[in-house]
């Protein structure tokens, strides 16, 4: 990989700490044994199949899932997971929010930016894979990144990114949103990114019939299926920011569905925080 | 203590076939071109069990018929965890449309879905068949006018679907479906149906051998098959293996059906690997699960 590209990627996503299998195994066992109140939030941003439960939230309620600034309060779920609680406490960072996130097989988070509705402060998002598989990916900058087991990962969620799980088992991550302070900065200073976890997405195939297929589906009024087909192109091909949304917008324009086209212009604006009015 | 009634428990835990029936109906009823939907088979007769397949008939506006069939695989793959593309069903009775068989994976199990797509102006034969139940009707008058040009187009389309000799990939899917059916017969001890479907599976494997080693005569069936394949060492070896499989038993058991499918997979992988391009992972996964109980 070219050094410039690697440098760009490391700024967006990187490994910042090695975590022992023993610690992870204890955390995983606790989670499996507990009947967690998994809840689907941010429904517009996903295909369905992405659920979270808060460990540290503003209200202290585990079902409080819309992340926000503030000093978070421990929820009863974190209290019931002593190994995970110990891990979070030992990290000793300045937390904004912490949650467990479960991405089911064949589930997708569409291309989006995070933190856009929050005040302007330096933050980073950390991911700890607790259960994963090689086909669970974060997508950004035209690459698939498999967040490998045994590491604490840093993700800058203000760059456009998505996620998918094309494997056959659920992916469970601890996700912590942190304010940047000295301790986190020191971890980030030593960040690295192993090439084994990076796969460039293929360039757009000019012979791809996805847009034609999607248009046919939309003509038959299977709008959701058509939209999902085009949204997933982000996870399969290297393309410019928002291109998958443009495909949907253009599809509806060609079919004369101006209202639907406008809805997707708004969604693109919202998901990517573009500040464009319809 | 909150004691649930039996009805509540049944509502929360419907038989899997009905859960998927609901999902399929929710999907297809999004389109105004779906006019009505029916169930047939064991679900309609109410003598289904855990292994029963889901037999559903969709009556669609004739003008959208071909487009819907062409989009069917995409619709099913985007909304369900299907193992393979739809296999055009040659076993289902002819009602005037086309049937497709899908295997859907859920919780490491498989459910067979038989989807029959019919133009909405050809319901007569279906409605005269016993044990067919309507489960959906779009609230508008069904237009039974026959547009001759559309009728001709649909007939040509259906004929073409079954007139072309299937590809190796398509035959592999056919073999998987038949193996799944045979596995069901084994569990239910339905020896006659096992026998019938074993013959069909043998025929499918025969056709793969023909396409690979004797493409000029791929539609010659069993005629001179052994003599033709015995001419060369490679094809001769495969022919001998196939002969052993056929002669071993007239019906399959749990072990022999896996051996049979492994034979087919190995044959294609060695002699025509490009046919596995899109389905190798699914096929291997299917064989692995075939060896385990559903």
């Amino acid at each position: 990989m070219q050094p410039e590209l690697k440098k760009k990627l490391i700024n967006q996503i990187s490994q910042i700490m090695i975590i022992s299998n023993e610690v992870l195994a204890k955390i995983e066992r606790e989670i499996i044994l507990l009947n967690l109140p998994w809840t689907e939030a941010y429904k517009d941003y996903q295909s369905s199949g992405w659920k979270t439960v808060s460990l540290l939230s503003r209200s202290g309620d585990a079902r409080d899932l819309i992340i926000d600034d503030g000093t978070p309060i421990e929820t009863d779920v974190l209290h019931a997971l002593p190994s995970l609680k110990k891990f979070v406490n030992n990290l000793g960072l300045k937390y904004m929010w912490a949650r467990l996130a479960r991405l089911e097989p064949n589930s997708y988070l569409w291309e989006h930016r995070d933190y856009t509705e929050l005040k302007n402060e330096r933050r980073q998002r950390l991911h700890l894979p607790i259960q994963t598989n090689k086909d669970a990916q974060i997508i950004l900058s035209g690459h698939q990144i498999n967040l490998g087991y045994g590491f604490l990962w840093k993700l800058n969620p203000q760059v456009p990114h998505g996620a998918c799980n094309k494997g056959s088992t659920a992916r469970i991550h601890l996700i912590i949103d942190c304010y940047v302070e000295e301790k986190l900065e020191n971890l980030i200073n030593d960040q690295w990114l192993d090439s084994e976890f990076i796969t460039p997405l293929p360039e757009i195939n000019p012979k791809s019939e996805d847009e034609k297929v999607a248009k046919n589906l939309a003509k038959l009024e299977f709008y959701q299926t058509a939209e999902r087909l085009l949204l997933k192109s982000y996870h399969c091909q290297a393309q410019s920011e928002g291109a998958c949304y443009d495909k949907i917008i253009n599809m509806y324009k060609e079919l004369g569905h101006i209202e639907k086209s406008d809805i997707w212009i708004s969604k693109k604006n919202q998901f990517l925080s573009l500040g464009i009015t319809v | 203590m909150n004691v649930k009634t039996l009805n509540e428990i049944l509502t929360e835990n419907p038989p899997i076939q009905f859960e998927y029936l609901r999902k399929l109906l929710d999907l297809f009823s999004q389109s105004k071109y779906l006019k009505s939907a029916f169930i047939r088979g064991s679900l309609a007769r109410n003598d289904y069990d855990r292994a029963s397949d889901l037999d559903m008939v969709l009556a669609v506006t004739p003008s959208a018929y071909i487009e819907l069939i062409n989009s069917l695989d995409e619709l099913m793959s985007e909304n369900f965890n299907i193992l393979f593309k739809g296999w055009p069903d040659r076993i289902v009775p002819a009602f005037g449309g086309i049937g497709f068989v899908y295997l859907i994976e859920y919780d490491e199990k498989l459910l067979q879905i038989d989807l029959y797509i019919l133009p909405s102006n050809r319901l007569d034969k279906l409605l005269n068949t016993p044990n067919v139940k309507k489960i959906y009707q779009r609230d508008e008058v069904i237009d039974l006018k026959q547009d001759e040009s559309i009728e001709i187009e649909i007939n040509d389309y259906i004929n073409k679907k079954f007139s072309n000799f299937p590809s190796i990939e398509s035959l592999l899917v056919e073999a998987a479906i038949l193996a799944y059916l045979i596995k069901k017969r084994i569990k239910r001890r339905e020896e006659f149906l096992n026998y019938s479907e074993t013959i069909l599976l043998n025929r499918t494997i025969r056709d793969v051998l023909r396409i690979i080693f004797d493409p000029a005569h791929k539609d010659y069936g069993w005629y001179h098959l052994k003599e033709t394949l015995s001419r060369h060492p490679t094809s001769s070896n495969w022919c001998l293996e196939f002969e052993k499989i056929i002669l071993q038993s007239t019906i399959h058991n749990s072990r022999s059906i896996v051996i049979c499918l492994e034979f087919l997979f190995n044959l294609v992988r060695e002699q025509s690997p490009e046919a596995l391009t899109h389905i190798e992972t699914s096929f291997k996964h299917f064989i692995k699960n075939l060896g385990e109980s559903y």
Side-chain angles (χ1 to χ4, degrees):
Chain A
M1 179 177 284
Q2 289 175 9
E4 283 303 312
L5 179 57
K6 187 96 183 261
K7 192 177 167 189
K8 178 187 170 187
L9 276 179
I10 284 179
N11 282 338
Q12 296 172 356
I13 191 162
S14 62
Q15 295 146 276
I16 60 171
M17 197 189 278
I18 296 172
I19 310 295
S20 79
N21 285 354
E22 194 189 333
V23 164
L24 288 169
K26 274 187 191 162
I27 292 172
E28 185 186 3
R29 249 193 322 273
E30 280 177 359
I31 289 169
I32 287 168
L33 289 173
L34 203 60
N35 190 15
L36 294 173
W38 297 106
T39 309
E40 214 168 76
Y42 297 102
K43 289 183 182 182
D44 275 354
Y45 287 73
Q46 58 163 300
S47 64
S48 93
W50 189 74
K51 295 179 181 176
T52 56
V53 58
S54 287
L55 304 168
L56 295 171
S57 69
R58 199 159 68 136
S59 63
D61 185 345
R63 289 179 173 82
D64 185 0
L65 301 172
I66 306 300
I67 63 163
D68 199 359
D69 281 304
T71 305
I73 303 166
E74 177 182 311
T75 67
D76 55 348
V77 170
L78 183 60
H79 187 70
L81 298 167
S83 297
L84 185 57
K85 181 175 171 176
K86 185 179 172 186
F87 176 81
V88 171
N89 288 344
N90 287 350
L91 265 186
L93 302 173
K94 190 178 175 194
Y95 300 123
M96 185 182 100
W97 209 277
R99 53 202 160 140
L100 288 171
R102 182 186 176 96
L103 188 62
E104 297 293 348
N106 200 29
S107 296
Y108 292 75
L109 282 164
W110 311 130
E111 183 190 7
H112 67 283
R113 283 192 169 90
D114 289 306
Y115 297 162
T116 55
E117 67 282 12
L118 302 176
K119 63 187 180 198
N120 195 13
E121 267 206 58
R122 290 178 65 211
R123 298 178 193 80
Q124 290 285 359
R125 176 166 288 172
L126 306 184
H127 276 250
L128 178 73
I130 296 166
Q131 268 186 13
T132 189
N133 63 75
K134 62 174 178 54
D135 295 314
Q137 319 278 353
I138 296 282
I139 310 294
L140 48 73
S141 297
H143 289 76
Q144 293 172 336
I145 320 288
N146 173 240
L147 302 201
Y149 191 79
F151 303 97
L152 183 64
W153 291 77
K154 172 220 84 186
L155 165 70
N156 177 0
Q158 289 179 291
V159 303
H161 66 284
C164 59
N165 184 1
K166 297 178 187 176
S168 56
T169 54
R171 183 208 86 172
I172 298 177
H173 281 193
L174 165 67
I175 300 179
I176 311 175
D177 294 286
C178 307
Y179 296 106
V180 177
E181 37 65 66
E182 190 182 343
K183 191 166 185 188
L184 182 56
E185 269 182 333
N186 288 340
L187 285 174
I188 293 173
N189 283 340
D190 292 334
Q191 66 186 346
W192 76 101
L193 181 56
D194 291 326
S195 299
E196 66 183 277
F197 297 118
I198 313 168
T199 309
L201 284 169
E203 296 297 320
I204 290 181
N205 179 359
K207 290 184 187 169
S208 168
E209 298 220 316
D210 280 354
E211 284 163 86
K212 182 181 165 192
V213 170
K215 196 170 170 183
N216 286 340
L217 287 168
K219 276 187 199 168
L220 291 167
E221 299 186 349
F222 296 111
Y223 299 120
Q224 245 190 2
T225 306
E227 289 161 8
R228 267 212 303 273
L229 183 62
L230 295 177
L231 287 168
K232 284 181 187 177
S233 68
Y234 172 74
H235 303 77
C236 307
Q237 303 160 356
Q239 50 193 294
S240 56
E241 181 179 332
C244 62
Y245 298 112
D246 292 335
K247 288 177 190 175
I248 297 173
I249 292 162
N250 291 338
M251 174 184 76
Y252 282 131
K253 277 184 179 165
E254 285 173 20
L255 291 173
H257 295 315
I258 304 304
E259 203 178 293
K260 287 188 188 298
S261 172
D262 286 346
I263 287 170
W264 277 96
I265 291 172
S266 290
K267 283 193 182 190
K268 178 186 175 185
N269 187 23
Q270 175 195 344
F271 293 169
L272 295 173
S273 194
L274 298 175
I276 300 165
T277 51
V278 174
Chain B
M1 181 169 69
N2 179 18
V3 178
K4 287 187 178 175
T5 65
L6 184 57
N7 278 339
E8 279 175 333
I9 293 170
L10 285 170
T11 305
E12 285 171 15
N13 300 283
I16 196 67
Q17 293 90 344
F18 285 96
E19 190 183 316
Y20 275 86
L21 187 62
R22 166 53 60 195
K23 288 181 184 182
L24 284 162
L25 202 51
D26 284 348
L27 171 63
F28 285 100
S29 62
Q30 288 174 22
S31 170
K32 70 183 180 202
Y33 298 110
L34 178 71
K35 295 302 184 190
S36 53
F38 304 82
I39 51 171
R40 44 186 289 273
S42 59
L43 259 67
R45 290 192 307 266
N46 202 26
D47 59 10
Y48 60 89
D49 61 24
R50 271 195 323 169
S52 292
D53 55 5
L54 197 175
D55 288 297
M56 192 178 189
V57 180
L58 303 173
V60 305
T61 308
S63 57
Y65 182 77
I66 293 174
E67 209 60 69
L68 180 67
I69 302 267
N70 286 341
S71 301
L72 196 59
D73 280 339
E74 209 58 63
L75 260 176
M76 291 298 286
S77 67
E78 283 297 322
N79 289 284
F80 302 102
N81 191 14
I82 59 171
L83 267 192
F84 309 110
K85 286 187 181 177
W87 172 67
D89 193 344
R90 297 164 199 274
I91 304 172
V92 70
F95 294 116
I98 310 178
F100 294 91
V101 180
Y102 289 93
L103 291 177
I104 287 181
E105 195 168 19
Y106 71 97
D107 298 340
E108 296 180 359
K109 302 188 191 72
L110 286 181
L111 172 66
Q112 179 187 330
I113 292 184
D114 295 353
L115 262 187
Y116 197 91
I117 321 289
L118 196 53
S120 57
N121 58 354
R122 295 186 186 187
L123 285 173
D124 287 353
K125 202 169 175 186
L126 179 76
L127 295 176
N128 285 328
T129 307
N131 297 311
V132 169
K133 286 186 179 157
K134 184 183 283 191
I135 57 169
Y136 174 83
Q137 176 66 54
R138 189 163 286 274
D139 290 331
E140 50 193 72
V141 174
I142 295 174
D143 183 359
L144 292 173
K145 274 192 303 188
Q146 311 254 118
D147 182 325
E148 217 173 286
S149 62
I150 292 179
E151 281 300 299
I152 292 170
E153 208 181 331
I154 290 175
N155 285 337
D156 286 345
Y157 180 84
I158 292 173
N159 289 336
K160 205 174 168 184
K161 265 285 184 218
F162 289 107
S163 65
N164 290 339
F165 202 89
S167 63
I168 294 179
E169 181 181 328
S170 184
L171 288 169
L172 285 167
V173 174
E174 182 169 305
I177 305 281
L178 288 168
Y180 175 79
L181 286 172
I182 292 169
K183 187 75 191 260
K184 227 169 34 171
R185 308 308 177 202
I186 294 167
K187 279 190 182 177
R188 287 178 177 163
R189 297 187 186 174
E190 292 172 334
E191 280 81 17
F192 287 149
L193 286 168
N194 185 339
Y195 171 74
S196 164
E197 282 148 12
T198 296
I199 291 175
L200 291 174
L201 179 57
N202 289 342
R203 197 180 67 182
T204 304
I205 300 173
R206 173 206 70 197
D207 286 347
V208 173
L209 282 162
R210 278 279 190 201
I211 294 175
I212 291 172
F213 295 117
D214 187 25
H217 307 108
K218 61 188 174 200
D219 54 352
Y220 271 33
W222 298 105
Y223 188 67
H224 285 320
L225 178 70
K226 191 168 179 179
E227 296 88 327
T228 307
L229 296 186
S230 298
R231 285 183 197 143
H232 297 283
T234 306
S235 54
S236 177
N237 286 338
W238 286 107
C239 182
L240 283 170
E241 278 291 319
F242 182 43
E243 192 177 47
K244 270 188 219 165
I245 286 172
I246 291 178
L247 295 177
Q248 197 175 312
S249 176
T250 45
I251 64 172
H252 277 295
N253 57 45
S254 296
R255 181 74 193 119
S256 68
I257 186 65
V258 174
I259 292 171
C260 186
L261 235 59
E262 282 171 347
F263 163 82
L264 179 59
F265 177 77
N266 290 335
L267 166 67
V268 175
R269 188 175 54 179
E270 266 190 46
Q271 300 299 324
S272 188
E274 63 282 357
L276 286 168
T277 305
H278 302 298
I279 65 167
E280 179 165 358
T281 307
S282 297
F283 203 80
K284 273 159 62 174
H285 180 63
F286 175 78
I287 294 176
K288 179 173 173 284
N289 281 310
L290 197 64
E292 296 158 8
S293 296
Y294 275 108

